[in-house]
Amino acid sequence: MKSELIDNENSYHSKEVSSEILLETKNLTKWFPIKSGILKRTTGYVKAVDDISFSVRKGETFSLVGESGSGKSTLGRAVLRLHEPTSGEVHFEGKDITHLPSHEMRKLRREMQIIYQDPFGSLDPRMNIGDIVGEPLDVHRIARGKQRNERIDELLELVGLDPSRKSRYPHEFSGGQRQRVGIARAIALNPKFILADEAVSALDVSVQAQVVNLLKELQQKLGLTYLFIAHGLNIVRHISDRVGVMYLGQMVEIGEVDEVYKRPAHPYTSALISTKPSPNPRARKKKVILEGEIPSPSNPPTGCRFHTRCPLATEICKQDTPILRPVSDKQSVACHFPLV
Ligand SMILES: Nc1ncnc2c1ncn2[C@@H]1O[C@H](COP(=O)(O)OP(=O)(O)O)[C@@H](O)[C@H]1O
Ligand code: SF4
Ligand SMILES: [Mg+2]
């Protein structure tokens, strides 16, 4: 299965990505209030996403990586306005959508879809596959009767499922097949943008590769743009054009995926890549292991948030917050002492 991914890698990286920006955030911030006591007073905030500015180009796959709790899902959901941002802006197709009223947001949701990690949890077990895939068509009153049926068949075929199985129920399908149903549902309304939040993380490695290849194929066919959130770093390398590395609610490095992997500029990125399991036990021993726990996002360290775990930290790192700056035309980093 690995060779399948590698075979496709070159064609993927040679695909056309427009320089046009589809989605952009400006100083996007999402803090969750911490309430305590009988009066439920706000006593603090979980700073899940703190002042993030980044953009995703049309046709591109932008991946977010970082340890669990770094704010990837919150950022993805804030971008879709499934979480109301605390401050900052979200722009889609050049339009500020941060304060779009809910009826206009509902219309825009057709363009912005989500694929979840757990296909079983996100598919209604009492509905058959055809109705699950057809539901967005019903909700948005896109198609009825014969037209609806034809569209369902077409969608199932697009994701590699046999349309004759559409009266079956989710439990009759394997994990990978259920994720294909989730994908068919996400593309039903011809969206432009898809947030895939750990969409392949729960699947076996061989099935992951198949679903990743399907996502790539659909991107080419349908001109999709992806924000791909991943746990495993391996899979990100094969699907992304660019990658954003998150730590404690902030973006610490952004760059073209090959560049970031070959020459990580942020010590945290370097440590993340080092923790990637190596098949060679000797190589594994030499690798740098990320030490210590991720601090609480309700009380993040001063200055550079990574200073409590960074082997290169100095006094300045504890005081001054580094801002994201380009180190080349392909890579930006938020560190006082970048590695490149
Ligand atoms: N709805 C919520 N209410 C309060 N805290 C939340 C909520 N969602 C996420 N968090 C907190 O925000 C931080 C970032 O979480 P999350 O975005 O899920 O990270 P990731 O997806 O990178 O694992 C975590 O500390 C998490 O506990
Ligand atoms: S700013 Fe300092 S503490 Fe932060 S990553 Fe760079 S060297 Fe490490
Ligand atoms: Mg998450």
Side-chain angles (χ1 to χ4, degrees):
M1 205 43 68
K2 199 146 194 248
S3 63
E4 193 182 326
L5 278 171
I6 288 164
D7 286 344
N8 285 344
E9 193 183 5
N10 290 339
S11 60
Y12 188 68
H13 285 291
S14 62
K15 79 181 174 155
E16 283 287 305
V17 175
S18 142
S19 56
E20 207 178 319
I21 287 169
L22 182 70
L23 181 118
E24 188 173 17
T25 72
K26 294 184 180 175
N27 310 100
L28 189 64
T29 297
K30 178 66 191 179
W31 290 5
F32 295 107
I34 303 168
K35 310 240 183 221
S36 46
I38 312 165
L39 297 175
K40 295 265 173 254
R41 280 215 188 97
T42 300
T43 51
Y45 292 92
V46 177
K47 297 171 180 171
V49 168
D50 213 6
D51 196 13
I52 289 190
S53 301
F54 82 113
S55 59
V56 184
R57 298 171 193 147
K58 227 173 230 179
E60 147 172 90
T61 298
F62 189 103
S63 290
L64 291 174
V65 300
E67 283 162 291
S68 173
S70 57
K72 305 178 298 293
S73 295
T74 305
L75 176 59
R77 296 179 70 84
V79 154
L80 294 189
R81 287 207 34 218
L82 295 170
H83 281 318
E84 283 308 317
T86 305
S87 63
E89 294 172 12
V90 181
H91 292 232
F92 186 72
E93 295 193 299
K95 184 175 166 184
D96 186 350
I97 63 161
T98 326
H99 304 290
L100 217 56
S102 54
H103 66 277
E104 282 189 51
M105 204 55 225
R106 247 196 314 276
K107 269 193 258 162
L108 194 64
R109 287 263 150 71
R110 287 174 56 171
E111 316 269 15
M112 308 171 92
Q113 293 287 319
I114 179 163
I115 306 170
Y116 294 96
Q117 170 171 9
D118 173 13
F120 207 50
S122 58
L123 305 180
D124 187 339
R126 294 156 306 174
M127 277 168 81
N128 70 37
I129 296 303
D131 286 337
I132 288 171
V133 172
E135 195 179 40
L137 306 173
D138 308 335
V139 172
H140 290 269
R141 299 201 182 103
I142 302 288
R144 291 167 63 184
K146 184 163 168 269
Q147 227 189 351
R148 176 181 183 272
N149 273 332
E150 282 171 3
R151 177 67 176 151
I152 291 169
D153 290 359
E154 182 186 33
L155 287 164
L156 291 173
E157 268 168 19
L158 266 172
V159 300
L161 291 172
D162 181 355
S164 71
R165 295 179 75 201
K166 68 183 167 190
S167 51
R168 307 253 180 129
Y169 289 83
H171 73 268
E172 297 176 76
F173 291 79
S174 69
Q177 288 171 332
R178 286 199 293 261
Q179 197 54 292
R180 286 172 192 264
V181 174
I183 294 170
R185 190 179 151 94
I187 61 173
L189 300 171
N190 279 324
K192 292 183 176 140
F193 174 81
I194 293 185
L195 166 66
D197 191 352
E198 309 257 7
V200 299
S201 306
L203 304 172
D204 289 347
V205 174
S206 62
V207 183
Q208 277 189 352
Q210 290 163 14
V211 175
V212 161
N213 285 335
L214 171 68
L215 288 171
K216 287 184 193 176
E217 199 186 299
L218 291 173
Q219 180 168 53
Q220 304 268 9
K221 267 190 202 158
L222 309 174
L224 295 166
T225 301
Y226 294 135
L227 181 58
F228 190 89
I229 296 178
H231 209 72
L233 288 155
N234 272 330
I235 213 86
V236 161
R237 179 139 194 204
H238 298 295
I239 195 170
S240 326
D241 297 291
R242 289 188 304 146
V243 60
V245 182
M246 285 185 70
Y247 186 74
L248 268 186
Q250 297 188 320
M251 200 74 92
V252 297
E253 177 159 6
I254 294 182
E256 288 187 10
V257 74
D258 286 337
E259 216 55 33
V260 170
Y261 274 78
K262 278 188 214 136
R263 282 176 288 277
H266 197 283
Y268 178 65
T269 314
S270 170
L272 267 190
I273 292 168
S274 310
T275 53
K276 192 170 80 176
S278 163
N280 174 351
R282 265 199 221 166
R284 221 178 294 159
K285 269 198 194 137
K286 274 193 256 157
K287 301 224 154 156
V288 187
I289 306 294
L290 190 59
E291 304 223 357
E293 291 288 305
I294 185 165
S296 163
S298 59
N299 187 20
T302 55
C304 171
R305 291 186 180 182
F306 188 54
H307 85 249
T308 54
R309 299 167 83 191
C310 181
L312 307 178
T314 66
E315 215 35 56
I316 188 178
C317 304
K318 295 181 192 165
Q319 288 156 18
D320 290 356
T321 307
I323 56 165
L324 205 59
R325 285 195 194 92
V327 283
S328 74
D329 57 347
K330 295 178 175 171
Q331 202 171 358
S332 296
V333 64
C335 172
H336 296 304
F337 307 101
L339 302 174
V340 297

